[in-house]
Amino acid sequence: MSNTTNLYWPVYKSIEREVLVLADMIHIDDKQLNVYSVKIAELLIRTCVEVESIAKELYKCEGGTPAPEGEHLKYDFDCLKYLDIKWKLAKKVVLVSSANFYLVKEQNQILRPIRSASKGEASWQKAYQAIKHDRASSLERGKIENLLKALAGLFLLNVYYRNSEYDLKSDSVGDTFDQSLGSDLFAIEIYRVSPFSKDGKQSQESNFDYSSYLIEPQENNLKEARKAWNDFNDKIKEDYLSI
């Protein structure tokens, strides 16, 4: 996927820019997440249309079974469900990192936008369907909170669609890794693999399933680090036994 033309990221960035313009006009804190408008509803619809499109494309790229003849794939029950099984998308965290968002509550700062989405039960999905079919009576569901979660979901799917690898050179812990991955609004969680784990096996700590990126040493560096660590431990044991 990373070596194909990405038609999704530019659209995501375009919507993101418009959301950031909203943040310049509205002081978006925890109390303002229920603010709604025709413009916010429009952005929500555009975002969800992109979610549908990229979810179907990812499903196809990752070997999902084509729909039977005469039927159509459902982006949520078919595609997101398949991708969730493959990558545990429902657990993946997206962090609201923009300085223009003044969110304090953890549930508003740390989002899991794909949770319940494979069942069509995410709040932003329900809002999207309601507005799409009856905008006049459902306008209040076109609020900042639903837009933010839908856009976080679109960002996450873009991260997986790009499928990029980065060589961090000598930065073994990933301090220089840009967790925003080009977003001016969101960031992803990362999991750092330790080369010094017992028997070379990685313990999956609490944030492993929440993370979209894994930072680990290259195999040749991993072997060198483990050898140095084992040599160090052997030296400590020798010094201790010689006392």
Side-chain angles (χ1 to χ4, degrees):
M1 287 174 291
S2 59
N3 59 355
T4 61
T5 301
N6 187 342
L7 302 177
Y8 298 99
W9 184 249
V11 178
Y12 165 79
K13 287 295 292 181
S14 177
I15 298 173
E16 182 187 79
R17 283 192 294 270
E18 293 185 58
V19 173
L20 290 171
V21 169
L22 282 177
D24 285 335
M25 297 185 290
I26 304 171
H27 183 84
I28 301 179
D29 58 16
D30 297 306
K31 295 180 290 185
Q32 298 281 52
L33 290 177
N34 287 324
V35 170
Y36 64 92
S37 72
V38 171
K39 178 61 179 178
I40 296 170
E42 177 222 325
L43 287 170
L44 175 62
I45 290 173
R46 285 167 53 196
T47 299
C48 292
V49 167
E50 282 298 301
V51 168
E52 290 192 23
S53 182
I54 195 172
K56 291 178 181 179
E57 181 68 15
L58 264 172
Y59 175 88
K60 181 174 66 176
C61 291
E62 292 301 318
T65 304
E69 186 175 351
E71 298 184 22
H72 298 283
L73 288 170
K74 294 181 174 62
Y75 87 95
D76 42 13
F77 300 116
D78 295 319
C79 303
L80 288 181
K81 181 179 180 180
Y82 177 83
L83 298 172
D84 183 29
I85 292 171
K86 185 179 182 68
W87 293 320
K88 298 183 179 179
L89 282 184
K91 294 185 177 182
K92 302 305 178 187
V93 162
V94 175
L95 310 170
V96 181
S97 57
S98 171
N100 284 358
F101 283 72
Y102 303 92
L103 304 171
V104 175
K105 294 181 179 178
E106 182 175 298
Q107 67 265 31
N108 297 329
Q109 292 179 319
I110 304 174
L111 308 179
R112 292 177 178 82
I114 307 300
R115 184 168 54 185
S116 302
S118 64
K119 302 175 183 177
E121 296 177 356
S123 60
W124 56 268
Q125 289 175 300
K126 293 180 179 179
Y128 166 51
Q129 293 298 331
I131 294 167
K132 184 170 66 171
H133 295 295
D134 190 354
R135 186 172 304 188
S137 62
S138 304
L139 184 60
E140 65 182 25
R141 301 181 75 168
K143 57 184 181 178
I144 293 173
E145 179 181 10
N146 286 328
L147 172 59
L148 195 60
K149 289 178 178 178
L151 192 59
L154 180 56
F155 168 66
L156 186 61
L157 292 174
N158 266 279
V159 168
Y160 278 85
Y161 182 76
R162 281 159 53 178
N163 192 29
S164 299
E165 293 185 2
Y166 301 91
D167 185 354
L168 300 179
K169 307 298 182 184
S170 60
D171 179 14
S172 60
V173 295
D175 287 337
T176 60
F177 181 72
D178 180 10
Q179 291 177 240
S180 75
L181 295 172
S183 172
D184 294 310
L185 178 51
F186 299 117
I188 50 95
E189 187 73 74
I190 59 175
Y191 179 79
R192 295 174 172 87
V193 173
S194 170
F196 306 117
S197 54
K198 185 178 180 181
D199 299 325
K201 297 178 181 179
Q202 305 306 325
S203 61
Q204 296 186 0
E205 299 168 359
S206 58
N207 75 326
F208 180 83
D209 285 345
Y210 305 151
S211 303
S212 301
Y213 259 81
L214 184 74
I215 294 181
E216 61 181 348
Q218 293 180 337
E219 188 59 34
N220 59 329
N221 294 332
L222 197 60
K223 290 178 180 178
E224 292 177 7
R226 286 176 183 154
K227 183 179 184 305
W229 180 252
N230 291 331
D231 290 346
F232 174 76
N233 281 332
D234 290 343
K235 183 67 168 62
I236 293 293
K237 290 176 183 178
E238 288 177 10
D239 292 345
Y240 177 80
L241 293 174
S242 65
I243 296 175

